[in-house]
Amino acid sequence: MSDLMRRRISIFGSTGSIGQSTVSLLKHQGGKKAYEVVALTGASNIGLLARQARELGAKVAVTARADLHDALKRELEGSGVSAAAGPAALLEAAAMPVDWTMLAIVGAAGLAPGLEAARHGTTLALANKESLVCAGSMFLNACRQSGARLLPVDSEHSAIHQAMTGETTAHLERVVLTASGGPFRDMPLEQMADVTREQARAHPNWDMGERISIDSATMFNKALEVIEAKVLFDLDPGQIEVIVHPQSIIHSMVGFTDGSIMAQLGPPDMRGAIGYALNWPERRGLPVQRLDFGLLARLDFQPVDHDRFPAIGLAYAAASLGGLAGAVFNAAKEVALDGFIAQRIGFLDMARLVAHVFDDMSGEAARYGTGYGLDDVNGTDSEARARARLWIENNSRV
Ligand code: NAD
Ligand code: MG
């Protein structure tokens, strides 16, 4: 393929779980011969970032950590890749012209670079669901104004996108998000209070980053996905259902007005959804296992137990309130997760903390409606974090 035809690609969060899978798929599909890699970004793991940038011949590698600028420069010496660092450099990288961008930074930190990429109008593969949870209408507006196309990478939303191919939203009645139920699906509530970080991050089906794995154990991940689905597919919260499906083979389903259901199935491997977004509207051979229905034998379903997973109910409340209620929910959840990882609060405290901050702040945050800017999101996020930290101070185990 000539240079002129190479697709220009950037990956935000290339050193994470989704980012590394994206890099491995790019290599599988021809690497730097097939793609002109523009920017790769990471945070602390500059050794990996530099290796990826050399391998793919990236123009620039950016670490979010300004203090690691010199170290990244050293790692990249003689490679021809430029090194940049800090939040402003991330925004500059997001403004560089490309044809396809993977947004795979974890948490609300992904919002600002994601918005900048959305303003520059490319095809955006969106793994960072927090952008939509915190500032859904603003993110979609930015895409609308620039003409950027948004392709979901979350496996559930990719499934819905695939099931909607050739359909119109006028015929969509409901979506059914499947959830594995995480490692504690059948654990009695009393025992859940004392589970450890190691137990919580051991997801039964998916191999993911630590934060999203623990969020799966609390079902906060599914909770974020309810809000994400509402935003992406313009749904009423009442049109969204969550069902526990322990095998994670059905990635989600769409129900149409005639009662018909379309489901998308595949192995629990994020390279499926990443590859779909990378190759869309084509499909290409992906190095993922094929389902063997003889071995699979059965698919199970059970309703969500809301006593054990209060995150889901809170997400419906946030989705119904709208405005910046999602930003409150997400910020409190991120601090709760930090507190659990640092062993300052227990597993069940995470939902207690989020419920507390959400009760305090969500009504007011919802009043923004769709009339907010990035400063309002950041202000709401900071206030929710401060209140969440205070809750940890007052309720800390250590
Ligand atoms: P991860 O923790 O493995 O990687 C996160 C990436 O973000 C890394 O490259 C890290 O360097 C970068 N990063 C971290 N903090 C940053 C900051 N403050 N500023 C800039 N960059 C920063 O996370 P992941 O599991 O790959 O998840 C990435 C996103 O994809 C999340 O939004 C997650 O919810 C979503 N997602 C992940 C999976 C999965 O299988 N891992 C599945 C569905 C959706
Ligand atoms: Mg998901």
Side-chain angles (χ1 to χ4, degrees):
M1 208 182 271
S2 83
D3 248 26
L4 279 175
M5 289 171 66
R6 288 191 309 165
R7 262 170 101 199
R8 295 166 303 171
I9 285 195
S10 288
I11 308 174
F12 288 79
S14 64
T15 56
S17 164
I18 293 286
Q20 290 185 58
S21 295
T22 309
V23 167
S24 91
L25 280 181
L26 288 185
K27 289 199 284 190
H28 177 78
Q29 295 192 172
K32 58 182 168 187
K33 287 206 187 78
Y35 300 99
E36 182 185 328
V37 176
V38 176
L40 297 179
T41 87
S44 307
N45 194 348
I46 51 166
L48 175 60
L49 178 62
R51 250 192 334 275
Q52 291 176 328
R54 281 174 186 272
E55 247 180 321
L56 290 173
K59 278 204 173 73
V60 55
V62 187
T63 163
R65 287 186 45 184
D67 58 316
L68 294 180
H69 196 181
D70 287 341
L72 182 61
K73 269 193 214 155
R74 275 195 301 277
E75 293 273 354
L76 287 168
E77 234 159 44
S79 66
V81 182
S82 14
L90 271 183
L91 295 184
E92 273 173 38
M96 291 170 83
V98 285
D99 304 304
W100 190 87
T101 308
M102 167 58 82
L103 297 173
I105 290 174
V106 65
L111 175 61
L115 263 179
E116 192 67 10
R119 290 190 183 117
H120 287 82
T122 64
T123 296
L124 303 177
L126 183 68
N128 178 262
K129 63 192 89 186
E130 296 89 345
S131 299
L132 296 182
V133 171
C134 297
S137 58
M138 185 168 68
F139 199 91
L140 291 192
N141 272 338
C143 291
R144 238 174 261 132
Q145 278 171 15
S146 68
R149 180 181 294 281
L150 201 54
L151 295 171
V153 172
D154 220 346
S155 57
E156 296 75 5
H157 307 75
S158 173
I160 295 167
H161 190 271
Q162 295 183 52
M164 285 300 294
T165 304
E167 306 285 349
T168 83
T169 45
H171 299 147
L172 188 161
E173 191 171 66
R174 59 183 179 142
V175 303
V176 183
L177 299 177
T178 54
S180 70
F184 312 132
R185 190 182 69 238
D186 298 317
M187 184 183 271
L189 183 57
E190 317 79 72
Q191 286 176 28
M192 281 167 75
D194 295 315
V195 299
T196 63
R197 172 182 176 182
E198 282 65 35
Q199 287 173 300
R201 71 176 172 206
H203 197 280
N205 304 336
W206 298 90
D207 177 15
M208 308 186 286
E210 177 175 44
R211 297 186 74 83
I212 186 173
S213 296
I214 299 175
D215 279 349
S216 298
T218 49
M219 291 192 79
F220 267 113
N221 179 50
K222 205 54 52 184
L224 297 179
E225 290 178 358
V226 167
I227 306 171
E228 181 186 12
K230 180 205 163 203
V231 173
L232 271 175
F233 304 106
D234 193 22
L235 300 167
D236 288 329
Q239 290 176 288
I240 306 168
E241 295 167 35
V242 177
I243 186 87
V244 173
H245 165 44
Q247 292 94 351
S248 301
I249 296 295
I250 299 180
H251 296 155
S252 278
M253 302 180 256
V254 177
F256 295 98
T257 42
D258 58 0
S260 182
I261 304 262
M262 295 285 276
Q264 187 264 340
L265 285 69
D269 182 335
M270 283 308 294
R271 289 175 302 176
I274 297 167
Y276 174 77
L278 178 61
N279 297 312
W280 185 91
E282 306 290 326
R283 284 188 187 264
R284 286 176 67 165
L286 296 177
V288 298
Q289 257 191 354
R290 272 38 180 177
L291 290 182
D292 179 334
F293 284 91
L295 286 177
L296 209 55
R298 54 187 270 190
L299 298 174
D300 297 305
F301 305 96
Q302 60 194 65
V304 175
D305 178 342
H306 289 278
D307 290 333
R308 292 190 311 135
F309 300 109
I312 300 291
L314 288 167
Y316 277 97
S320 301
L321 282 168
L324 292 178
V328 172
F329 181 72
N330 180 69
K333 192 242 27 143
E334 288 192 24
V335 173
L337 181 56
D338 292 338
F340 176 71
I341 288 174
Q343 298 179 352
R344 297 195 66 200
I345 60 173
F347 185 79
L348 297 175
D349 291 332
M350 286 189 269
R352 286 189 195 114
L353 183 167
V354 176
H356 170 80
V357 176
F358 190 76
D359 282 351
D360 268 7
M361 285 184 64
S362 58
E364 190 134 337
R367 288 205 202 107
Y368 283 100
T370 54
Y372 58 84
L374 188 55
D375 286 349
D376 301 314
V377 183
N378 290 338
T380 302
D381 176 281
S382 301
E383 190 184 339
R385 281 174 202 266
R387 290 193 194 206
R389 287 196 195 100
L390 190 63
W391 192 94
I392 293 180
E393 291 301 321
N394 295 334
N395 295 274
S396 175
R397 291 183 158 189
V398 288

